[in-house]
């Protein structure tokens, strides 16, 4: 059984579609902008980023989104030459589901249409043989509770008939993440159940008609790692795709927890893949069909052009609102005014062990290289013209653990390294990893300011649905960002 994700690090709630011989996956992005990362592949194991679908303020409003809110569980589909993406922005929950479309997954994606009559989360789009589009979502309203569906006009968001409950799941907690499929004269409805923690599972039911009751699969759940010692846990929130050769595959989310019980996962929920066989009219998951190799996520970004790489996102605000390209190797980051959201030019951490470095000019302000889960759980190095401070923020507790002069040289170079902890006896180390903070001399010699327990930057401690990001935050005035590098450890 594979333990290697196809899209690693904070890429949850995967949804997949095929156009010809090319496959596309979209993922949840929560409070980060731009939103909904999209990757492409032709072999299902090697994936490259395409874009973030929601790239404009008119498409995405997460300005007031608390941590782990914003964009939930998209569905990506290709129908009659056009790509359709539906999702929920829980900051604007009252507006219903959000639909955008594009001729090309690279964009541009349309301005959103909202389905105001569909209140809930985790929407899905499916078309029947007559070409009618059906919107399905997890509803918990006073009149409709369960997995609800209605035919719609996706171009306008108008419901074409009253919504109806299709299924309420197998009885596990939180039936959600519905995906509806048409196959061999049956409608199949696949769900996530059990909550997105250790009890997570994939279940499925079928019916000849959307007007008739759904029958649960006799082997439910069709995928779960609950109560096992598998290195990948929390498996669920799956989506099916029929391949170009007629076979089927499934993408799903999982986490890779480490450390002692209850164990801790730090890089968020990641995207995995499995094969699917149809036996007696039901999908049977084959977790050994695909054997992806761990990709190299290393990069060096010198900001050579005004166009930022799709990896760069920020909580609550778009990067272009505080990051101004001045020249190759000079990206100017401006600190926010009082009361404005806290900007961080951030990228997802992708590997169990890694090192990130940033070179800054702090002559006109102060900036910070940090790694964290949210604004209340981060470790960082803050530099101004004269000093570098190492700071730990864990919930309401914030402490400066070291302060040193800025080494002489061209700007200040800051480094964060994440490594496996040393084993201690027969038991695994209590923490998932160690986070080391250092400032570098001009010749690259590190001055380590401390090494700290990584469990406090985990989902099990911080809560929520995201994962670690690292990046640069303008703290005061302006700082010039010359270069950021990320290197995965072998």
């Amino acid at each position: 059984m594979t333990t290697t994700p196809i899209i690693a690090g904070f890429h949850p709630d995967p949804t997949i579609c095929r156009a010809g011989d090319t496959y596309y996956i979209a993922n949840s992005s929560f409070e980060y902008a731009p939103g909904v990362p999209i990757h492409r592949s032709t072999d299902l194991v090697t994936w490259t980023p395409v874009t973030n679908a929601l790239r404009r303020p008119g498409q995405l409003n997460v300005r007031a989104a608390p941590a782990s809110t914003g964009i939930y569980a998209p569905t990506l589909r290709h129908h009659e030459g056009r790509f359709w993406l539906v999702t929920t922005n829980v900051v604007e929950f009252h507006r219903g589901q959000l639909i955008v479309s594009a001729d090309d997954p690279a964009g541009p994606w349309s301005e959103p249409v909202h389905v105001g009559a569909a209140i809930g989360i985790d929407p899905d789009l499916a078309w029947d043989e007559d070409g009618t589009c059906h919107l399905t979502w997890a509803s918990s309203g006073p009149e409709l509770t369960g997995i609800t569906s209605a035919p719609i006009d996706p171009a306008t968001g108008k419901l074409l008939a009253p919504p109806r409950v299709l299924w309420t799941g197998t009885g596990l907690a939180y039936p959600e993440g519905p995906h509806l499929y048409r196959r061999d004269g049956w409608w199949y409805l696949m769900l996530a159940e059990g909550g997105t923690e250790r009890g997570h599972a994939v279940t499925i039911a079928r019916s000849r008609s959307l007007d008739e009751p759904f029958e649960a699969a006799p082997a439910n759940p069709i995928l779960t790692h609950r109560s096992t010692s598998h290195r990948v846990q929390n498996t669920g929130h799956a989506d099916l795709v029929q391949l170009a050769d007629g076979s089927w595959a499934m993408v799903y989310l999982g986490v890779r927890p480490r450390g002692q019980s209850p164990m801790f996962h730090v890089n968020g929920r990641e995207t995995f893949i499995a094969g699917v066989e149809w036996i007696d009219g039901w999908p049977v998951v084959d977790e050994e069909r695909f054997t992806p190799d761990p990709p190299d996520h290393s990069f060096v970004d010198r900001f050579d052009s005004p166009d930022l790489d799709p990896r760069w996102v920020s909580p609550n605000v778009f990067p272009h609102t505080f990051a101004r390209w001045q020249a190759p190797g000079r990206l100017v980051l401006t600190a926010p005014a009082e009361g404005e959201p806290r900007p961080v030019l951030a990228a997802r951490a992708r590997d169990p062990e890694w090192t990130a470095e940033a070179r800054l000019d702090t002559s006109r302000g102060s900036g910070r290289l940090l790694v964290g889960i949210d604004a209340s759980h981060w470790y960082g190095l803050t530099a101004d013209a004269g000093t570098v401070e190492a700071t730990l923020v864990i919930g309401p507790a914030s402490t400066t653990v070291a302060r040193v002069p800025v080494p002489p040289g061209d700007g200040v170079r800051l480094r964060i390294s994440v490594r496996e902890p040393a084993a201690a006896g027969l038991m695994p180390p209590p923490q998932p990893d160690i986070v080391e903070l250092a400032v570098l001399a001009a010749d690259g010699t590190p001055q380590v300011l401390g090494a700290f327990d990584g469990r406090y930057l985990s989902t099990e401690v911080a809560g929520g649905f995201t994962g670690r990001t690292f990046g640069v935050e303008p703290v005061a005035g302006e700082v010039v960002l010359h270069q950021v590098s990320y290197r995965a450890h072998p």
Side-chain angles (χ1 to χ4, degrees), residues 59-104:
Q59 297 171 316
L60 177 63
N61 173 21
V62 288
R63 188 175 180 83
S68 288
T69 65
I71 294 296
Y72 279 19
T75 292
L76 179 65
R77 294 291 182 257
H78 183 249
H79 178 71
E80 293 187 349
R82 191 161 181 82
F83 292 86
W84 296 86
L85 189 144
V86 60
T87 188
T88 311
N89 184 351
V90 298
V91 177
E92 300 180 327
F93 191 74
H94 63 285
R95 300 186 71 181
Q97 310 309 322
L98 179 158
I99 299 175
V100 292
S101 62
D103 293 326
D104 187 324

Side-chain angles (χ1 to χ4, degrees), residues 13-18 24-26 74-78 122-129 132-137 147-149 166-167 176-192 202-210 214-215 220 222-223 236-243 247-253 274 276 278 281-285:
D13 308 329
T15 174
I16 186 169
C17 74
R18 177 175 65 87
Y24 298 91
I25 286 178
T75 292
L76 179 65
R77 294 291 182 257
H78 183 249
D122 299 2
D124 172 80
L125 294 176
W127 282 261
D128 62 24
E129 292 90 342
T132 300
C133 180
H134 297 266
L135 174 70
T136 306
W137 68 98
I147 305 305
T148 303
S149 187
L166 300 183
W167 193 37
E176 57 192 11
H179 289 302
L180 196 61
Y181 312 94
R182 188 69 170 157
R183 180 184 182 274
D184 289 349
W186 291 93
W187 283 105
Y188 288 86
L189 178 58
M190 193 165 67
L191 303 186
V202 179
T203 60
I204 198 164
R206 69 183 184 182
S207 176
R208 287 292 186 185
S209 165
L210 295 179
F214 274 72
E215 165 200 4
N220 275 329
I222 61 171
L223 174 66
H237 204 111
D239 194 10
L240 297 173
V241 64
Q242 187 172 19
L243 310 189
S247 64
W248 288 72
M250 167 190 284
V251 292
Y252 60 96
L253 68 80
V276 171
W278 290 88
W282 294 106
V284 176
V285 179

